[in-house]
Amino acid sequence: MKSNIDNYCAQVCGGDQRGTGPACPRGIDVHTQLPADTVATPLTGEQDGVIARAIELGKRQIQQEIAAGRIPPTVTDFAKLHDFVDANEFGGLCEDDGEWSRLFPRTNDQETEVFCEAANRVQDALDQWLGNGTERNALLIGNLVENALNAACLAIQDGLKLNYGDVAGVFFSGAQKEAFREMFTRYVLCEIAMMSDPEDG
């Protein structure tokens, strides 16, 4: 249903708090005189490209932090990342030079507003992506499964008093190795699912 209100400025403060940015201190867009969140900031194709690349970079960075043990594999909320690392740096948002500083300068309130909206898009996308346990833990799972395979082969080789691993290298290749990976990936995901979030006590 369309609202009959077409000028919030007159009703909220009489239009005397415009300020210098795209929105007044009360959150009203100074151009449309409607709530600012109803007006999307238009971005260029180049800016959209930077955002897309930042999202992919942020995913890889989070995977690396999880694999390194700095972020628990159970975290599914972007806001909770701040408990373990400076999550604002994911995606390269805080770099002093590069694409973000060139395409999203912050020399005035309006430019800062555009930067914040772009950064929010990146972080919102990462927040949604964190809900996929297989993807966020992909690097951790890969490392764990590889270590498990090596440990299993070593145990057998030690038990047989072998000083070579050539047969294992041949045996666990192609379909055999993929079957092992699939089975142990499911096992790792099962263990992660049974873990409690650190904040849950």
Side-chain angles (χ1 to χ4, degrees):
M1 179 180 295
K2 184 177 179 180
S3 172
N4 292 325
I5 299 175
D6 60 4
N7 187 331
Y8 279 76
C9 290
Q11 296 191 23
V12 174
C13 70
D16 61 352
Q17 294 188 20
R18 287 187 54 149
T20 59
C24 77
R26 294 179 180 268
I28 308 301
D29 186 273
V30 298
H31 301 295
T32 65
Q33 298 182 349
L34 293 172
D37 60 2
T38 65
V39 182
T41 302
L43 300 177
T44 67
E46 193 174 10
Q47 288 174 322
D48 283 333
V50 171
I51 291 173
R53 288 190 291 276
I55 292 170
E56 294 308 309
L57 173 60
K59 291 177 182 179
R60 294 194 300 272
Q61 291 172 325
I62 292 172
Q63 288 174 334
Q64 290 167 356
E65 294 296 299
I66 291 175
R70 287 184 284 270
I71 296 175
T74 54
V75 173
T76 60
D77 186 329
F78 187 89
K80 289 186 178 180
L81 294 177
H82 292 285
D83 294 342
F84 311 99
V85 296
D86 185 356
N88 291 324
E89 295 185 355
F90 288 136
L93 305 185
C94 296
E95 293 179 357
D96 293 331
D97 52 12
E99 291 183 315
W100 274 88
S101 61
R102 178 172 62 86
L103 295 175
F104 296 100
R106 286 172 280 174
T107 60
N108 56 51
D109 290 344
Q110 185 171 5
E111 289 179 346
T112 300
E113 183 73 18
V114 173
F115 170 85
C116 289
E117 179 170 332
N120 285 337
R121 292 186 189 184
V122 173
Q123 295 182 353
D124 287 347
L126 293 176
D127 182 70
Q128 184 175 3
W129 171 80
L130 279 167
N132 187 318
T134 302
E135 289 191 16
R136 76 171 182 271
N137 292 312
L139 184 56
L140 171 66
I141 292 171
N143 292 343
L144 292 175
V145 171
E146 189 68 25
N147 291 341
L149 176 57
N150 291 337
C153 291
L154 180 60
I156 292 172
Q157 292 159 10
D158 286 347
L160 296 175
K161 302 189 184 320
L162 302 175
N163 58 4
Y164 57 86
D166 298 353
V167 175
V170 173
F171 184 85
F172 286 105
S173 61
Q176 294 279 58
K177 187 169 186 178
E178 187 57 32
F180 183 94
R181 286 185 180 277
E182 290 180 1
M183 179 176 63
F184 272 77
T185 293
R186 292 195 299 272
Y187 167 59
V188 175
L189 287 171
C190 182
E191 290 284 14
I192 291 173
M194 297 300 292
M195 295 170 61
S196 62
D197 189 298
E199 288 193 359
D200 294 336

